[in-house]
Amino acid sequence: MNQRKKVRKAVIPVAGMGTRFLPASKAIPKEMLTIVDRPTIQYIVEEVVASGIEEIIFVTSEGKAAIENHFDYDFQLDALLKKKNKTKLVEELRHISNLIDIVSVRQKKPLGLGHAILTTKNVVGNEPFLVLLGDDLVQSKVPCCLQMINLFQELPESYVAVQRVSSDQTHQYGIVEGDEIQDRVFKVGRMIEKPAPGTTESDMAIIGRYLLQPDIFDLLEKTTPGHGGEIQLTDALQALAMRRAMYAYEFEGTRYDAGDKLGYLKAIVAFALQHPELKDEFRVHIMEVADSFKKPAKKSK
Ligand code: UTP
């Protein structure tokens, strides 16, 4: 039986090793690297807040304390800034620590994304919840999570957000095969984690936004290590798709993989071009840079 429950909680796993971003991520969590004027993780928390969620559960690991500290209230800093009459800064820092209720659970070993989500079983309980990957940014008019919650109100099942990728990129993603049931919504048939080239015709790649029914926890408990020796969320999602209906949603917006060096650079440019104080000057700069890279016209003989 489908139960129409409100989506109140969001899980944000940030316990990964961040090897793609070494050496930058050796002492600083990659989620704390700055996109224009705030760390990546703050954009993700702001998306959750803008989607009407009440509580965030971070899955953390050793060395990720900076993420928790960023959203904490720092009494000493607050007092110091007040003494110096830095009112605007005081307000901004208070705003960050008041955004939403946050709890953390520890993933003691980096055994994979599926394992990271399983560690939140008791904190999430028996209700539907969102998962947002801590290094995946989405720029959109309506927050990506809210788009998924709106779908969930009509059809309370599980959802993965997907984007189209070219065939030479499918091996980097979890890929979904399915039939379109309405605009941008697909009933999931098969899901494959990082398929070998030529083993799927689908171009629908799972990105870091999920809305899941709590049944996923039982299935994660039964999931054995898969690709890369990790407990893969995609394997448990495939099992969930066999047990009850599951949908892929082609979200409206643009996604940036800020855990990857090139994706991170693209995110900085995209977010700077939207920044109210910086966008105009930055646009001029970008155009000048682009012009300077234009190939000189060939001289006619
Ligand atoms: P990634 O594939 O980006 O892994 O995980 P990673 O380890 O962080 O980065 P690389 O690939 O080594 O550069 C996707 C998300 O799942 C979390 C990560 O923090 C990231 O948000 N994750 C991954 C965990 O929380 N625990 C894990 O064991 C693995």
Side-chain angles (χ1 to χ4, degrees), residues 12-21 30-31 59-60 64 107 109-116 132-136 194 230 257 259:
I12 308 183
V14 292
M17 303 287 283
T19 50
R20 284 173 297 156
F21 229 126
K30 62 177 172 179
E31 298 83 1
V59 183
T60 65
K64 300 277 180 159
Q107 184 189 18
K109 280 187 186 166
L111 298 178
L113 175 59
H115 180 259
L132 295 90
L133 299 193
D135 53 3
D136 239 9
K194 303 194 169 76
E230 296 188 338
D257 179 2

Side-chain angles (χ1 to χ4, degrees), residues 95-147:
H95 165 73
I96 295 169
S97 59
N98 285 331
L99 275 172
I100 191 166
D101 281 348
I102 295 180
V103 298
S104 295
V105 294
R106 269 281 176 123
Q107 184 189 18
K108 294 186 183 111
K109 280 187 186 166
L111 298 178
L113 175 59
H115 180 259
I117 291 167
L118 184 55
T119 61
T120 68
K121 180 179 176 184
N122 292 335
V123 192
V124 170
N126 189 28
E127 56 181 285
F129 63 104
L130 285 162
V131 175
L132 295 90
L133 299 193
D135 53 3
D136 239 9
L137 288 171
V138 178
Q139 222 177 25
S140 54
K141 275 197 200 118
V142 177
C144 183
C145 283
L146 186 55
Q147 295 177 35

Side-chain angles (χ1 to χ4, degrees), residues 33-45:
L33 297 176
T34 312
I35 307 274
V36 188
D37 58 0
R38 64 197 73 175
T40 303
I41 192 71
Q42 191 176 327
Y43 291 95
I44 292 169
V45 167

Side-chain angles (χ1 to χ4, degrees), residues 238-269:
Q238 173 74 71
L240 186 64
M242 310 296 271
R243 184 188 275 195
R244 58 191 289 173
M246 157 128 206
Y247 298 91
Y249 170 57
E250 195 180 344
F251 67 98
E252 289 185 53
T254 311
R255 170 257 186 182
Y256 298 94
D257 179 2
D260 165 80
K261 290 171 193 170
L262 186 61
Y264 176 74
L265 289 175
K266 288 180 182 175
I268 292 180
V269 173

Side-chain angles (χ1 to χ4, degrees), residues 22-190:
L22 286 168
S25 55
K26 186 169 175 236
I28 299 166
K30 62 177 172 179
E31 298 83 1
M32 286 302 292
L33 297 176
T34 312
I35 307 274
V36 188
D37 58 0
R38 64 197 73 175
T40 303
I41 192 71
Q42 191 176 327
Y43 291 95
I44 292 169
V45 167
E46 283 171 358
E47 178 183 333
V48 169
V49 173
S51 302
I53 295 297
E54 295 165 17
E55 183 180 326
I56 284 176
I57 301 144
F58 280 140
V59 183
T60 65
S61 57
E62 202 192 348
K64 300 277 180 159
I67 297 174
E68 287 154 298
N69 293 343
H70 181 72
F71 295 99
D72 204 356
Y73 173 63
D74 186 333
F75 171 75
Q76 279 180 332
L77 184 60
D78 190 275
L80 182 85
L81 293 173
K82 257 199 298 194
K83 211 165 139 193
K84 293 185 174 226
N85 282 326
K86 308 243 178 204
T87 326
K88 207 167 164 236
L89 262 182
V90 170
E91 271 169 28
E92 190 165 348
L93 295 188
R94 283 190 187 170
H95 165 73
I96 295 169
S97 59
N98 285 331
L99 275 172
I100 191 166
D101 281 348
I102 295 180
V103 298
S104 295
V105 294
R106 269 281 176 123
Q107 184 189 18
K108 294 186 183 111
K109 280 187 186 166
L111 298 178
L113 175 59
H115 180 259
I117 291 167
L118 184 55
T119 61
T120 68
K121 180 179 176 184
N122 292 335
V123 192
V124 170
N126 189 28
E127 56 181 285
F129 63 104
L130 285 162
V131 175
L132 295 90
L133 299 193
D135 53 3
D136 239 9
L137 288 171
V138 178
Q139 222 177 25
S140 54
K141 275 197 200 118
V142 177
C144 183
C145 283
L146 186 55
Q147 295 177 35
M148 296 172 87
I149 290 172
N150 289 340
L151 269 178
F152 179 87
Q153 306 302 340
E154 286 170 35
L155 184 61
E157 287 293 352
S158 295
Y159 294 86
V160 292
V162 293
Q163 69 176 16
R164 306 282 181 168
V165 296
S166 58
S167 58
D168 60 343
Q169 289 184 326
T170 48
H171 69 283
Q172 297 169 18
Y173 292 88
I175 297 294
V176 177
E177 294 171 354
D179 300 320
E180 191 161 17
I181 57 154
Q182 68 184 61
D183 190 28
R184 294 180 172 271
V185 183
F186 301 79
K187 181 135 194 279
V188 172
R190 197 164 72 114

